[in-house]
Amino acid sequence: MKLFTNPLQEINEYCEARTMLSKQGVSVEFFGCSEGQKSQLIHGLSDMYDRIVVIASDELRGRAFAEDYRFFDRTTAVFPAKDLIFYQADVFSNRVTSERMKTIRGILSGEVKTVVTTVDAFMAPMVPFDIIKKNIVTIQKGSVIEEEALAYKLTEMGYERVAQVEEGGQFCVRGGIIQNDATRVDAA
């Protein structure tokens, strides 16, 4: 990708920005960039950081930017805001929640370097990552798990115990089998 970042080295403002950004607590603003130039510029500066957060003015622009930026960084993920109007609608809220959790999982595992989000999503209160990490349940194939302990943990984490799983965020217990929308665990 140096083919795309090498030309930036010839721009004085870019070199000054890199120098300024190498200092603690300094921010830099760029004006007059086209959409394609924004992706190239951010990619050119990204080697200075472990994680990149891009805040878009709205979700449509954020998703468009993420699609463009994936050319430079395939580990880019979108972290959508909870749309309060539609959040009550089960289908939409489950999709948003699933996408948000997938991005968080990618951040925690180190698979996601660049996160594209909106001001609303960035400013919304969220459970701290250390609490999310503490509540991750990893089950190895062939392991023995106490059925009620797992059911209790899932309920504590916000899953809904139902008679039959119909969507994400639900689980059921039947004859030693705990199932959610994506997995099935044979409990002891």
Side-chain angles (χ1 to χ4, degrees):
M1 289 292 174
K2 293 203 183 278
L3 172 70
F4 298 105
T5 56
N6 282 344
L8 294 172
Q9 304 296 330
E10 298 174 17
I11 301 170
N12 288 337
E13 291 84 357
Y14 172 80
C15 294
E16 288 174 27
R18 281 189 73 88
T19 302
M20 291 176 65
L21 289 170
S22 67
K23 299 174 185 170
Q24 190 80 10
V26 175
S27 62
V28 176
E29 293 182 60
F30 291 94
F31 297 95
C33 296
S34 70
E35 293 301 314
Q37 289 170 326
K38 289 176 187 176
S39 295
Q40 183 183 14
L41 182 61
I42 290 171
H43 176 67
L45 297 170
S46 69
D47 65 335
M48 300 174 69
Y49 303 98
D50 295 330
R51 295 252 192 277
I52 307 296
V53 177
V54 177
I55 302 175
S57 57
D58 60 55
E59 192 164 329
L60 188 62
R61 286 188 178 151
R63 288 187 184 281
F65 178 84
E67 284 301 312
D68 290 344
Y69 195 72
R70 281 191 186 102
F71 175 78
F72 296 106
D73 179 4
R74 294 191 185 278
T75 67
T76 301
V78 175
F79 187 74
K82 294 179 185 178
D83 189 334
L84 297 179
I85 294 172
F86 295 108
Y87 197 70
Q88 300 304 320
D90 285 339
V91 174
F92 183 77
S93 67
N94 284 334
R95 183 182 64 78
V96 169
T97 301
S98 177
E99 187 173 8
R100 289 168 61 93
M101 290 309 299
K102 183 178 177 185
T103 300
I104 290 169
R105 183 177 33 239
I107 292 167
L108 292 174
S109 69
E111 295 172 10
V112 170
K113 178 180 179 178
T114 305
V115 177
V116 180
T117 190
T118 62
V119 173
D120 293 341
F122 187 76
M123 298 301 291
M126 208 175 102
V127 175
F129 277 10
D130 59 329
I131 293 174
I132 293 172
K133 274 185 187 179
K134 188 172 73 176
N135 284 295
I136 292 174
V137 175
T138 303
I139 301 170
Q140 301 296 328
K141 186 175 183 175
S143 62
V144 178
I145 297 156
E146 163 111 26
E147 178 181 306
E148 282 309 310
L150 180 58
Y152 177 78
K153 180 72 171 175
L154 290 172
T155 305
E156 189 178 64
M157 291 169 53
Y159 282 83
E160 177 185 10
R161 188 172 185 166
V162 294
Q164 181 175 340
V165 175
E166 295 179 0
E167 57 192 44
Q170 297 179 335
F171 77 96
C172 67
V173 179
R174 282 198 218 125
I177 296 173
I178 298 177
Q179 181 178 6
N180 74 2
D181 64 326
T183 60
R184 180 180 135 161
V185 177
D186 294 328

